[in-house]
Amino acid sequence: MSRLAGSVFHVGSAVERADVVARMVDVYIARREPAGDGQDRAVAAELRSVVGATGPASDPDRGATIDSLALDRHEPASIASAVAVARDNARRAREVVSTELWDCLNVTRSRMPRKVAPDRAHEFLGWVRERSALAIGVVEADASRDEVWEFFTLGRSLQRCATTARLLASDLLDRRSTASWVTALRACSAGEAFQRGRDHHTPSPEDAAAFLLLDERSPRSLRFLARRADECLTDVAPSCIEDEVRAFAEVRAALESVTETTALLAARAAGEQFAVAADRVVEALDARVFAASEPAR
């Protein structure tokens, strides 16, 4: 059971990672207005940190950054790697994964290109988002709300929670710049939802920070993601990781003391705390739960 749970968890996490990385690369690299070489390299290096890339943070240009974070199969944080991980784990969990989800991931993996021209990057990244949405939609539409759905959702929630948290804690955000917060909302796929909720007014940094941290209804806010992850952990997490689960719950509880007026000041610290707490839960699950019955190779 731990092997199947781990496979389903990593399918959810990898599908979400492909979506998250595609959105962030599109917003911060592919469609960003050209700047000086030094500034472009700084943005690329910071983005690599946000998405958890392990390779060198010294890409010479935008094309190299796109190749690395989108197509490099040896970079664990890349889209190509995420798609491969999702497909391989779905294969290991075929007995509990639906045929529709397997077909979706298998086709996505088979159609993943090895090279994308810089002027086609936006189109490719849009395709990745569509394929991720299709995989998630299959699960949300068809899966029983049992442990399979809970582990898939837990993987998704922790992945997005950690990445959003690292963005809030990063230097990609200029705390007092409205344009910087608008970009962050777009990168988190929260821009349109924010605008609809604010009658299309230009967001202030305070409003944008409050939305990404505290909104009760947006599935892109830290409060929503943390609540969803906490609910799944309550249902399926074993006692061997209770320390990490408790620490995550404490960080979530601390967020309840943040108000809309203090969200801007609290954003960086909250991001740092959530990133650490979410990563610790994932590491504990991998080390003490999912690895418990790994098949011999």
Side-chain angles (χ1 to χ4, degrees), residues 59-96:
D59 297 329
D61 54 39
R62 292 186 177 202
T65 303
I66 292 170
D67 285 346
S68 175
L69 294 182
L71 304 173
D72 185 354
R73 286 160 169 79
H74 300 291
E75 168 53 67
S78 74
I79 293 168
S81 177
V83 169
V85 167
R87 187 263 184 195
D88 290 347
N89 277 282
R91 177 177 56 80
R92 297 188 186 103
R94 282 294 286 119
E95 58 203 271
V96 296

Side-chain angles (χ1 to χ4, degrees), residues 184-253:
L185 286 166
R186 288 170 50 220
C188 293
S189 189
E192 290 189 10
F194 177 90
Q195 292 289 351
R196 286 193 296 269
R198 300 299 191 279
D199 296 324
H200 302 278
H201 292 164
T202 301
S204 68
E206 291 79 6
D207 286 343
F211 187 83
L212 283 178
L213 260 71
L214 305 175
D215 193 88
E216 293 276 1
R217 294 171 294 179
S218 171
R220 307 299 182 176
S221 77
L222 279 186
R223 175 173 282 171
F224 187 101
L225 291 165
R227 182 179 66 220
R228 177 63 61 83
D230 205 17
E231 289 169 352
C232 292
L233 286 168
T234 299
D235 290 341
V236 301
S239 59
C240 63
I241 64 166
E242 64 182 27
D243 290 345
E244 288 78 11
V245 172
R246 186 185 305 111
F248 185 84
E250 289 172 355
V251 172
R252 181 195 167 199

Side-chain angles (χ1 to χ4, degrees), residues 18-86:
D19 177 75
V20 166
V21 175
R23 291 181 188 279
M24 291 199 172
V25 171
D26 194 26
V27 169
Y28 283 107
I29 303 298
R31 289 193 289 167
R32 182 170 165 269
E33 290 299 320
D37 290 344
Q39 186 176 350
D40 282 347
R41 282 194 291 271
V43 169
E46 198 67 26
L47 179 60
R48 294 179 70 87
S49 177
V50 168
V51 302
T54 60
S58 56
D59 297 329
D61 54 39
R62 292 186 177 202
T65 303
I66 292 170
D67 285 346
S68 175
L69 294 182
L71 304 173
D72 185 354
R73 286 160 169 79
H74 300 291
E75 168 53 67
S78 74
I79 293 168
S81 177
V83 169
V85 167

